[in-house]
Amino acid sequence: MPAPLLSVQNLGHRYRHRAELVLRDVSFDVGAGEAVAVVGRSGCGKSTLLHLIAGLAQPTAGTVHIHGEPVRKPSARWVVMFQQPLLYPWMTAFENTALGPRFAGRRREAPKLVGDLLALVNMADYAGTNVQRLSGGQQQRIALARSLAAQPEILMLDEPFSALDTFTRRALQVEVRAIAKRLGITLLLVTHDIDEAVLMADRALVMDARPGRIRADLAFHHLPDERAIDDPAVQFERGRLLAALGETTQAPQPGDFHQI
Amino acid sequence: MTAAPEARRAFGRGVAGAVLWPVLGCAVVMAVWWLAGWRIAANPDTANFAGFAPGPTLRRLADLVARGELWRSVGPSLGRVGQGMAVAAALGVPLGVLIGGSKALRAATHIPFQFLRMVSPLAWMPIAVLSFASWDGAIVFLIAVAAVWPVTFATANGLAKIDPNWFKVARNLGAGPVQTLRVVILPAIARDVLTGIRLALGVAWIVLVPAEYLGVTSGLGYAINDARDTLEYDRLAAMVLVIGTLGFALDGLCLGAIRRFGWDHER
Ligand SMILES: Nc1ncnc2c1ncn2[C@@H]1O[C@H](COP(=O)(O)OP(=O)(O)O)[C@@H](O)[C@H]1O
Ligand SMILES: [Mg+2]
């Protein structure tokens, strides 16, 4: 069996010495080109998990390996797209998107790459616009283009579309999966939205809270590559995921999940 | 059109705010100046000081400009302020970045720096005179001492209030420390640094004149002193007018730079 692209082993984390254990013994592998969703309710430690995997914070226990190498610090080879756009307000959409190539010393490639990516996220007309003039949804599109412009092997998404309206969210969920599959980018997505998981992932890991642990691993074998929420197969897998979530130690509370 | 009178009134208010009131304010000051000059000239005890009045002052100013004498005072002064400000910025910006970036350094430097800030720059005059071979060097030193604190504190302030997420994004996209400094930190604090420089320039301009009472034989401060010694009160008043006008113009330049390089106004 080939080594997995990403391997998470016995990951544990507390924010402060003797503080509450946020993550306990989290282990899973992700293969190259796979799209994996980690699903759990708010506060179960999803963002923490993503920060640890990306090397933006150091775990108190366990290891993360990418290509068999331990992750010690962030790298443009794996990029997190955060919950908020976090664009630099003094820059245009183009300048924000071109940051990855700029940091990598590939400024000359930037115009073409960034132009293509802005077109891909339907923001080509706004290349020269200061990002403070863009709406939340437009900003998040630029954040997506910026993540892709770094040309990562792994794109890690932290509930990236939760602030957007349903229409935009649906479109981006389907588009991002299609883009990642086309470019061969591995997707690791954390979300509390089960629709997002079934629309975007090949596999879902169900996470418990307090402490955060993986309690189920569901593969979506029967889903087509191109997803639509009203597809009966998608609805079927959604039901399975919902059932698996229902078995988590705490019953879901109103507002915990979208679309329940 | 019902909107027209309203629009005209709004336009009227705009003109009043931008032109009318400032002109009126200046006119009042001119009137007071003229009245005072007239009283001084009318009183035999003070008639020697009649040169302070607007008429003689403005005539003398035109004369100073025409004979190029004004530039011989202004040039050296601007040079000294420029050098002092350059030194202050070269020290203050890096120092501010370090202090703003490190809680420990901020805590360690707080008391010494607040203490030093409160010592009038002119109190360093004897030390400046002893430690610099030239008068020019001593004056530049005094200006730098006055200007370094506003720059340092404003820079540190700007750094401390940078959103930590901006650093996270930069690291996430593969930025090294130098790239983070150039792409994130400096643009993020540009407005604060320029605001500090604006404050510093105000202080430097004030320190300049007394500093130029020191040994030098050029500059605006020297010109004031010299005019007093030769009892040319019209020249003295002309120089005061020039100092105020130039200070106002320099401040305006800083304000323009702040507008140009600040980014919050785009919101
Ligand atoms: N910087 C932090 N310092 C201390 N506690 C934190 C910090 N970030 C998150 N936590 C805590 O860790 C737990 C998990 O948070 P998070 O990973 O953000 O969850 P999720 O992304 O699933 O909503 C929460 O109880 C939260 O209060
Ligand atoms: Mg989160």
Side-chain angles (χ1 to χ4, degrees):
Chain A
M1 225 181 106
L5 175 57
L6 165 69
S7 177
V8 177
Q9 277 151 18
N10 312 107
L11 213 57
H13 194 67
R14 316 175 183 270
Y15 273 98
R16 267 174 293 280
H17 185 57
R18 306 225 291 207
E20 189 189 17
L21 198 57
V22 175
L23 295 175
R24 196 176 94 193
D25 213 16
V26 174
S27 301
F28 63 90
D29 288 348
V30 177
E34 220 184 343
V36 173
V38 177
V39 189
R41 66 171 56 84
S42 298
C44 76
K46 302 182 298 295
S47 296
T48 304
L49 177 63
L50 222 50
H51 277 72
L52 297 179
I53 292 174
L56 289 164
Q58 299 306 312
T60 43
T63 55
V64 177
H65 287 81
I66 293 180
H67 282 304
E69 297 283 323
V71 170
R72 297 213 173 79
K73 57 184 175 61
S75 155
R77 287 160 61 207
W78 52 87
V79 162
V80 183
M81 184 180 163
F82 300 99
Q83 216 159 339
Q84 307 89 29
L86 299 180
L87 304 176
Y88 294 119
W90 54 88
M91 293 184 183
T92 63
F94 180 94
E95 289 165 335
N96 268 289
T97 310
L99 282 172
R102 183 173 174 183
F103 291 149
R106 293 182 320 218
R107 267 184 118 140
R108 243 179 305 139
E109 292 169 36
K112 164 116 183 57
L113 176 67
V114 171
D116 290 349
L117 286 170
L118 288 178
L120 192 70
V121 298
N122 276 323
M123 290 294 293
D125 292 345
Y126 297 90
T129 306
N130 181 288
V131 292
Q132 292 174 84
R133 297 184 197 275
L134 302 180
S135 73
Q138 291 174 322
Q139 291 192 10
Q140 201 61 323
R141 282 168 185 273
I142 299 301
L144 173 62
R146 177 174 70 178
S147 303
L148 292 171
Q151 299 186 299
E153 288 173 69
I154 311 179
L155 179 57
M156 306 184 189
L157 305 163
D158 187 353
E159 313 198 19
F161 311 124
S162 50
L164 307 186
D165 62 278
T166 314
F167 185 75
T168 311
R169 184 166 64 230
R170 283 276 175 276
L172 280 176
Q173 284 162 345
V174 173
E175 276 172 42
V176 168
R177 177 183 163 86
I179 292 166
K181 288 288 169 189
R182 184 148 36 105
L183 302 178
I185 298 172
T186 303
L187 274 188
L188 178 62
L189 161 80
V190 305
T191 183
H192 63 241
D193 178 350
I194 50 174
D195 288 341
E196 190 158 271
V198 288
L199 281 175
M200 295 186 71
D202 305 319
R203 207 174 115 208
L205 305 173
V206 178
M207 208 167 149
D208 264 353
R210 288 162 188 255
R213 305 185 297 187
I214 306 293
R215 66 178 316 285
D217 186 339
L218 259 72
F220 302 145
H221 289 303
H222 309 294
L223 293 187
D225 248 359
E226 283 188 26
R227 309 277 165 91
I229 196 66
D230 48 8
D231 181 333
V234 170
Q235 284 299 316
F236 174 77
E237 295 294 355
R238 186 182 181 280
R240 272 178 73 212
L241 182 53
L242 194 54
L245 274 163
E247 290 164 22
T248 56
T249 46
Q250 282 173 290
Q253 283 137 29
D256 269 0
F257 300 104
H258 279 296
Q259 332 287 347
I260 289 186
Chain B
M1 295 277 261
T2 51
E6 180 52 41
R8 210 175 305 138
R9 240 173 288 141
F11 177 74
R13 273 197 299 275
V15 168
V19 183
L20 205 62
W21 292 117
V23 165
L24 190 69
C26 292
V28 167
V29 170
M30 284 301 287
V32 170
W33 184 15
W34 183 83
L35 208 69
W38 179 72
R39 290 283 308 263
I40 287 169
N43 185 338
D45 288 346
T46 57
N48 286 340
F49 300 105
F52 279 124
T57 299
L58 292 174
R59 264 197 303 280
R60 187 63 188 260
L61 182 61
D63 180 52
L64 289 171
V65 172
R67 292 195 296 142
E69 214 180 308
L70 185 68
W71 179 248
R72 279 199 296 281
S73 296
V74 169
S77 284
L78 285 179
R80 287 171 195 135
V81 167
Q83 288 175 57
M85 288 300 297
V87 172
L91 291 176
V93 173
L95 198 59
V97 168
L98 290 176
I99 293 173
S102 153
K103 277 205 180 96
L105 204 58
R106 196 163 14 183
T109 55
H110 178 75
I111 294 175
F113 281 7
Q114 290 298 331
F115 169 83
L116 286 172
R117 182 173 79 97
M118 286 305 169
V119 177
S120 162
L122 297 175
W124 299 106
M125 221 182 243
I127 294 171
V129 171
L130 285 175
S131 17
F132 286 86
S134 70
W135 293 112
D136 268 305
I139 292 171
V140 169
F141 169 81
L142 290 178
I143 290 171
V145 165
V148 75
W149 303 116
V151 176
T152 304
F153 295 138
T155 304
N157 234 338
L159 207 90
K161 64 174 206 250
I162 293 183
D163 183 347
N165 281 322
W166 288 352
F167 295 120
K168 190 168 82 176
V169 168
R171 294 205 303 141
N172 179 43
L173 293 171
V178 177
Q179 290 172 322
T180 305
L181 180 72
R182 282 198 41 216
V183 177
V184 181
I185 298 180
L186 293 182
I189 63 174
R191 190 190 182 91
D192 300 277
V193 172
L194 289 169
T195 305
I197 286 179
R198 182 182 175 208
L199 289 173
L201 191 61
V203 181
W205 197 243
I206 289 169
V207 169
L208 171 77
V209 170
E212 280 179 340
Y213 290 174
L214 284 174
V216 290
T217 51
S218 65
L220 292 162
Y222 166 77
I224 295 245
N225 231 8
D226 190 51
R228 189 199 59 193
D229 291 346
T230 55
L231 309 181
E232 296 167 89
Y233 297 115
D234 50 350
R235 185 151 71 97
L236 204 160
M239 285 301 167
V240 168
L241 206 60
V242 168
I243 290 169
T245 307
L246 274 181
F248 185 70
L250 289 173
D251 190 63
L253 281 182
C254 289
L255 206 58
I258 291 170
R259 294 226 176 90
R260 166 80 180 71
F261 292 105
W263 45 267
D264 338 37
H265 65 280
E266 297 254 14
R267 235 176 283 235

Coordinates of all heavy atoms in Angstrom, one line a residue, chain A residues 15-16 20 22 41-48 159 210, ligand 1:
Chain A
Y15 N -5.0 24.0 24.9 CA -4.5 25.3 24.6 C -3.6 25.8 25.7 O -2.6 26.6 25.4 CB -5.7 26.3 24.4 CG -6.1 26.3 22.9 CD1 -7.2 25.6 22.5 CD2 -5.3 27.0 22.0 CE1 -7.6 25.5 21.2 CE2 -5.7 26.9 20.6 CZ -6.8 26.2 20.3 OH -7.1 26.1 19.0
R16 N -3.8 25.4 26.9 CA -2.9 25.8 28.0 C -2.6 24.6 28.9 O -3.4 23.6 28.9 CB -3.4 26.9 28.9 CG -3.0 28.3 28.4 CD -3.7 29.4 29.2 NE -5.1 29.4 28.9 CZ -5.7 30.0 27.8 NH1 -4.9 30.6 26.9 NH2 -7.0 30.0 27.6
E20 N -8.6 22.4 29.5 CA -9.5 21.3 28.9 C -8.8 20.7 27.7 O -8.2 21.4 26.9 CB -10.8 21.9 28.5 CG -11.8 20.8 28.1 CD -13.1 21.5 27.6 OE1 -13.1 22.6 27.2 OE2 -14.1 20.7 27.5
V22 N -8.8 19.6 24.2 CA -9.7 20.0 23.1 C -9.7 18.8 22.1 O -10.8 18.5 21.5 CB -9.1 21.3 22.4 CG1 -9.9 21.6 21.1 CG2 -9.2 22.4 23.3
R41 N -20.0 19.3 15.5 CA -20.7 20.5 15.9 C -19.7 21.6 16.3 O -18.5 21.4 16.5 CB -21.7 20.2 17.0 CG -21.1 19.9 18.3 CD -22.2 19.8 19.4 NE -23.3 18.9 19.0 CZ -23.3 17.6 19.3 NH1 -22.3 17.0 19.8 NH2 -24.3 16.9 18.9
S42 N -20.3 22.8 16.4 CA -19.4 24.0 16.7 C -18.7 23.8 18.0 O -19.3 23.2 19.0 CB -20.3 25.2 16.9 OG -20.9 25.5 15.7
G43 N -17.4 24.1 18.1 CA -16.7 24.0 19.3 C -16.1 22.6 19.6 O -15.4 22.4 20.6
C44 N -16.2 21.7 18.6 CA -15.7 20.3 18.9 C -14.2 20.3 18.6 O -13.6 19.3 18.9 CB -16.5 19.3 18.1 SG -16.1 19.2 16.4
G45 N -13.6 21.3 18.0 CA -12.2 21.3 17.8 C -11.8 21.2 16.3 O -10.6 20.9 16.1
K46 N -12.7 21.5 15.4 CA -12.4 21.4 14.0 C -11.3 22.4 13.6 O -10.3 22.0 12.9 CB -13.6 21.6 13.2 CG -14.8 20.6 13.5 CD -16.0 20.8 12.6 CE -16.6 22.2 12.7 NZ -17.2 22.4 14.0
S47 N -11.5 23.6 13.9 CA -10.5 24.6 13.5 C -9.1 24.3 14.1 O -8.1 24.5 13.5 CB -10.9 26.0 14.0 OG -12.1 26.4 13.3
T48 N -9.2 23.9 15.4 CA -7.9 23.6 16.1 C -7.2 22.5 15.3 O -6.0 22.6 15.0 CB -8.2 23.1 17.5 OG1 -9.0 24.1 18.2 CG2 -7.0 22.8 18.3
E159 N -14.7 25.7 7.2 CA -16.0 26.2 7.0 C -16.0 27.5 6.2 O -16.5 28.5 6.6 CB -16.7 26.5 8.4 CG -16.5 25.4 9.4 CD -17.4 25.5 10.6 OE1 -18.4 26.2 10.4 OE2 -17.1 24.9 11.6
R210 N -15.6 17.4 23.1 CA -15.2 17.4 24.5 C -14.8 16.0 25.0 O -15.6 15.4 25.8 CB -16.3 18.0 25.4 CG -16.4 19.4 25.2 CD -17.7 20.0 25.7 NE -17.7 21.4 25.3 CZ -17.6 22.4 26.2 NH1 -17.4 22.1 27.4 NH2 -17.6 23.6 25.8
Ligands
LIG1 N1 -6.9 30.2 21.0 C1 -7.6 29.5 21.9 N2 -7.4 29.5 23.2 C2 -8.1 28.7 24.0 N3 -9.1 27.9 23.7 C3 -9.4 27.9 22.4 C4 -8.7 28.6 21.4 N4 -9.3 28.4 20.2 C5 -10.3 27.5 20.5 N5 -10.4 27.2 21.8 C6 -11.3 26.2 22.4 O1 -11.1 25.0 21.8 C7 -12.4 24.4 21.5 C8 -12.5 24.0 20.1 O2 -12.5 25.2 19.3 P1 -12.5 25.2 17.7 O3 -11.3 24.4 17.3 O4 -12.5 26.6 17.3 O5 -13.8 24.5 17.4 P2 -14.7 24.4 16.1 O6 -13.8 25.0 15.0 O7 -15.0 23.0 15.9 O8 -15.9 25.3 16.3 C9 -13.4 25.3 22.0 O9 -13.9 24.9 23.3 C10 -12.7 26.6 22.1 O10 -13.3 27.4 23.1

